[in-house]
Amino acid sequence: MALDQVKQIISNIKQGTIAPIYFLMGEEAYYIDGISSFIESSVLSEEEKGFNQMVLYGRDVSVDDIVSNAKRYPMMAERQVVIVKEAQDLSRTIENLVSYAENPQPTTVLVICYKYKKLDARKKLTKVLKKENAVLFESKKLYENQVPDWIRRVMAGKGYAISPKAAQMLTEFLGNDLSKVNNELEKLQLIIKPGQQITPQLIEENIGISKDFNNFELQNAIGNKNITKAYSIVQYFAQNPKNHPIVMTVALLYSFFSKLLKYHSVSDKSLAPKALGVSPYFIKDYQTAARNYPMKKVSAIVAAIRETDMKSKGVGAANLPQGDLLKELLVKIFN
């Protein structure tokens, strides 16, 4: 897991095992920023940084400029640090870094932040970075169902606890953008003490996510066949369409019922959490929903959700308000 890799990279740096090149690439910017920020703040002392640390931006420099700076010798220090941010702007010429990667300056720490892209594994630069004493790190996007566990692990590492429902609320509201999630978690850490648990109530009061009227609660209400609650949540969404876009609701319900189909097909239910890719804590939601919705009904619901998705995009519906579309969907789910 990327979090473990990041911890290992940072641990190595703290212990003095510092690579000459850190090539940080991938779709998830959070880890790339985290590693580069740590190197920027900790490899050199404050006195050394003035002459021996520079930050370049891909849009402003060429690969030749980077190599020229990397080959410079440090002044009154053991090493220098060169950080290239937004290096993805150099994607057309990044292979020109090969010759330097084959023979890097031992007194330079070169950090390449290559966000939202990754190197072509078939080309020479990737092979050289893997072979040489360099760190080639790929920061992959987490799937949304992995985010609640990521939140739990991050908070546990900082001495905080978070309830499963609270982690799910944050994920449902913020998605898998780890930078956004981390920003909200940092706000919460300012108002609670280490050892305290982050609860849905705390999130509602400080982040503005309703603990009673959100997609997660709608999913639970539908799974439990709590018709009154489901309609009240949809009515709330209809009154607050900007904060509760139908695309998010439809995506979550589609994911839930698709996993419910899979749950029905798993013969050994003890293997269901792994098969569905969900925390064992939430498997009871699927157990309950499976009792309320047999497989044939679930298949019909998945088809109805797809139809609602198309209508929400203007296909086969004359610009119906999203509240009406969701109410229509509930009718098909419950009947």
Side-chain angles (χ1 to χ4, degrees):
M1 188 175 179
L3 184 57
D4 296 324
Q5 290 177 274
V6 173
K7 287 180 178 178
Q8 186 60 57
I9 290 169
I10 289 175
S11 175
N12 289 343
I13 294 171
K14 286 179 176 178
Q15 292 170 20
T17 304
I18 302 175
I21 301 175
Y22 290 85
F23 200 103
L24 315 174
M25 63 182 185
E27 290 295 322
E28 181 49 70
Y30 175 79
Y31 290 122
I32 294 173
D33 289 338
I35 295 171
S36 63
S37 294
F38 180 78
I39 292 172
E40 187 174 354
S41 65
S42 64
V43 168
L44 298 180
S45 68
E46 290 303 319
E47 294 76 19
E48 293 172 329
K49 287 178 183 177
F51 290 109
N52 297 291
Q53 183 159 287
M54 64 182 65
V55 177
L56 308 173
Y57 288 86
R59 64 178 178 273
D60 300 325
V61 297
S62 66
V63 172
D64 287 342
D65 294 329
I66 294 168
V67 171
S68 176
N69 281 288
K71 285 186 173 180
R72 189 170 63 90
Y73 287 98
M75 293 179 63
M76 297 175 290
E78 182 183 348
R79 57 173 62 90
Q80 69 159 346
V81 174
V82 179
I83 300 172
V84 186
K85 297 186 177 183
E86 310 301 335
Q88 66 274 12
D89 290 338
L90 294 165
S91 59
R92 291 186 198 174
T93 57
I94 197 67
E95 280 294 314
N96 294 343
L97 196 61
V98 167
S99 59
Y100 179 81
E102 288 177 323
N103 187 29
Q105 182 79 356
T107 55
T108 294
V109 180
L110 176 60
V111 184
I112 306 291
C113 302
Y114 199 74
K115 293 180 181 178
Y116 316 117
K117 293 186 177 184
K118 63 179 182 177
L119 294 175
D120 188 334
R122 299 166 297 179
K123 293 190 175 180
K124 191 173 182 181
L125 181 57
T126 307
K127 294 173 183 176
V128 170
L129 289 170
K130 285 181 177 179
K131 186 172 64 176
E132 297 297 330
N133 183 29
V135 172
L136 178 61
F137 171 75
E138 183 179 353
S139 184
K140 296 180 180 179
K141 273 281 186 190
L142 293 184
Y143 294 110
E144 282 204 13
N145 63 5
Q146 297 174 309
V147 176
D149 185 58
W150 178 87
I151 292 173
R152 182 192 60 76
R153 293 184 66 195
V154 167
M155 297 311 291
K158 295 179 179 180
Y160 295 89
I162 183 167
S163 74
K165 181 179 176 181
Q168 193 68 38
M169 283 172 63
L170 284 172
T171 303
E172 189 247 307
F173 186 66
L174 299 167
N176 63 344
D177 186 327
L178 300 188
S179 294
K180 284 185 179 179
V181 175
N182 188 64
N183 286 341
E184 297 302 332
L185 291 173
E186 286 181 345
K187 291 177 188 175
L188 293 171
Q189 290 168 57
L190 295 174
I191 58 175
I192 63 172
K193 297 176 182 177
Q196 282 187 273
Q197 185 180 61
I198 297 172
T199 63
Q201 184 77 29
L202 199 65
I203 289 175
E204 181 175 45
E205 292 171 354
N206 294 280
I207 297 180
I209 309 171
S210 171
K211 64 180 176 60
D212 297 316
F213 296 94
N214 57 65
N215 283 324
F216 181 62
E217 288 301 315
L218 176 61
Q219 173 187 296
N220 281 344
I222 291 173
N224 285 286
K225 269 202 168 178
N226 188 332
I227 297 173
T228 302
K229 185 175 181 181
Y231 274 99
S232 67
I233 293 172
V234 164
Q235 183 62 32
Y236 178 83
F237 287 1
Q239 293 167 354
N240 301 272
K242 287 185 179 179
N243 294 329
H244 301 280
I246 191 170
V247 64
M248 297 291 291
T249 303
V250 168
L252 183 132
L253 292 179
Y254 181 80
S255 174
F256 177 72
F257 279 102
S258 296
K259 288 174 182 173
L260 187 56
L261 263 181
K262 191 176 290 187
Y263 179 85
H264 273 298
S265 67
V266 175
S267 54
D268 184 351
K269 299 305 182 189
S270 68
L271 301 176
K274 185 174 181 180
L276 274 61
V278 300
S279 165
Y281 176 87
F282 291 108
I283 207 66
K284 64 182 184 298
D285 297 336
Y286 292 90
Q287 292 170 344
T288 300
R291 290 194 293 269
N292 289 325
Y293 303 98
M295 183 177 278
K296 187 175 180 180
K297 176 62 176 175
V298 175
S299 297
I301 290 171
V302 169
I305 293 171
R306 285 190 180 130
E307 182 184 358
T308 301
D309 181 50
M310 297 300 291
K311 286 183 177 180
S312 72
K313 295 168 181 172
V315 180
N319 296 319
L320 280 174
Q322 73 169 40
D324 290 347
L325 286 174
L326 288 176
K327 289 173 186 174
E328 180 183 271
L329 177 60
L330 289 185
V331 170
K332 292 177 181 178
I333 289 173
F334 289 133
N335 296 324

